[in-house]
Amino acid sequence: MLFGTLFCVCLITANVLETKQLSFGPVNLTAGIIVFPVSYIINDVVCEVWGYQRTRMLIWMGFAMNFFFVIMGAIADWIPGAPYWHGDEGFHVIFGLAPRIALASFIAFIAGSFINAYVMSRMKLKSGGSNFSARAILSTIFGEATDSVIFFPLALGGVIPWEEMPSLMISQVTLKTLYEIVVLPVTIRVVEFTKKHDHEDVFDHDINYNIFNILKI
């Protein structure tokens, strides 16, 4: 429950923070990078401890809560403000997410999250549960790469020059992976504590990886 709550909060927070643009030298980013990688760390922890089937439910729950937040924000943005209220422009910047960007974000999130969980699950079986650090980093690389390859062309194709796309995607994947590496010692401690506390360490033998098999938990 705690991991599920934090996962949803991270996704919704990332949506809000994405509205601010950041620059670090030649690298341009959105403020969502502060929190979005945490969702992949939670994905890794849940998949490592409880397996792919519980992670599948977690991902769809995060999708549903994020979708609910975006829809409610869009409705509130559409309703005219009170005559004495002068925050329409700022409110629209945060909650007036363009349909194209919203769609790209949802598709990229689903694809990247499930790729991350699948790689984590399969590598755990292959390694017999060893080398968690390598599995966490590699699953993040695959997941974040999938997310970026889908999101940027769908959301920003034609808006930014196509020749800029590869460097933008590579920088996003690189920085998010570095984020995971920096906090890896914390992630390892959380996994160890959770396994001991819940007496769980699931291996995904003979499971159905169909992402739509939601009720199979």
Side-chain angles (χ1 to χ4, degrees):
M1 182 186 70
L2 292 174
F3 283 119
T5 301
L6 182 57
F7 186 75
C8 293
V9 169
C10 285
L11 295 177
I12 292 171
T13 303
N15 253 0
V16 176
L17 298 185
E18 288 288 342
T19 58
K20 182 172 183 177
Q21 304 294 312
L22 307 175
S23 291
F24 294 96
V27 180
N28 296 318
L29 302 165
T30 63
I33 196 171
I34 297 172
V35 68
F36 185 72
V38 178
S39 67
Y40 275 78
I41 295 169
I42 297 171
N43 187 321
D44 288 345
V45 172
V46 173
C47 194
E48 173 68 16
V49 178
W50 292 286
Y52 179 87
Q53 293 179 149
R54 292 297 176 91
T55 310
R56 174 169 52 202
M57 178 62 75
L58 177 78
I59 293 168
W60 281 116
M61 181 178 69
F63 176 88
M65 296 302 100
N66 204 15
F67 183 78
F68 177 79
F69 171 79
V70 169
I71 293 298
M72 293 300 104
I75 292 173
D77 184 50
W78 174 74
I79 298 172
Y84 56 82
W85 191 69
H86 305 291
D88 269 324
E89 183 177 350
F91 192 90
H92 179 73
V93 168
I94 296 174
F95 294 101
L97 194 62
R100 176 184 178 184
I101 294 177
L103 179 63
S105 177
F106 286 134
I107 294 173
F109 163 72
I110 286 294
S113 296
F114 276 112
I115 288 292
N116 183 84
Y118 177 80
V119 171
M120 192 74 183
S121 172
R122 298 303 299 174
M123 288 187 69
K124 184 176 182 180
L125 285 175
K126 293 285 188 183
S127 66
S130 61
N131 301 320
F132 171 77
S133 298
R135 291 186 280 114
I137 294 169
L138 286 173
S139 64
T140 295
I141 292 173
F142 279 102
E144 294 286 8
T146 301
D147 185 290
S148 295
V149 165
I150 292 173
F151 176 77
F152 286 104
L154 285 182
L156 302 174
V159 177
I160 65 173
W162 286 102
E163 59 269 21
E164 296 294 327
M165 283 284 183
S167 62
L168 185 60
M169 290 187 287
I170 290 170
S171 64
Q172 289 279 333
V173 174
T174 301
L175 287 172
K176 289 176 180 178
T177 303
L178 288 174
Y179 190 127
E180 167 112 18
I181 293 171
V182 169
V183 301
L184 190 56
V186 177
T187 306
I188 292 171
R189 292 295 181 89
V190 171
V191 166
E192 291 174 347
F193 173 81
T194 307
K195 285 182 177 180
K196 291 178 181 178
H197 183 274
D198 276 26
H199 306 290
E200 293 274 10
D201 189 5
V202 173
F203 285 78
D204 293 318
H205 296 289
D206 302 320
I207 70 161
N208 184 349
Y209 283 100
N210 184 346
I211 68 171
F212 299 107
N213 196 16
I214 303 172
L215 297 180
K216 180 66 175 177
I217 61 173

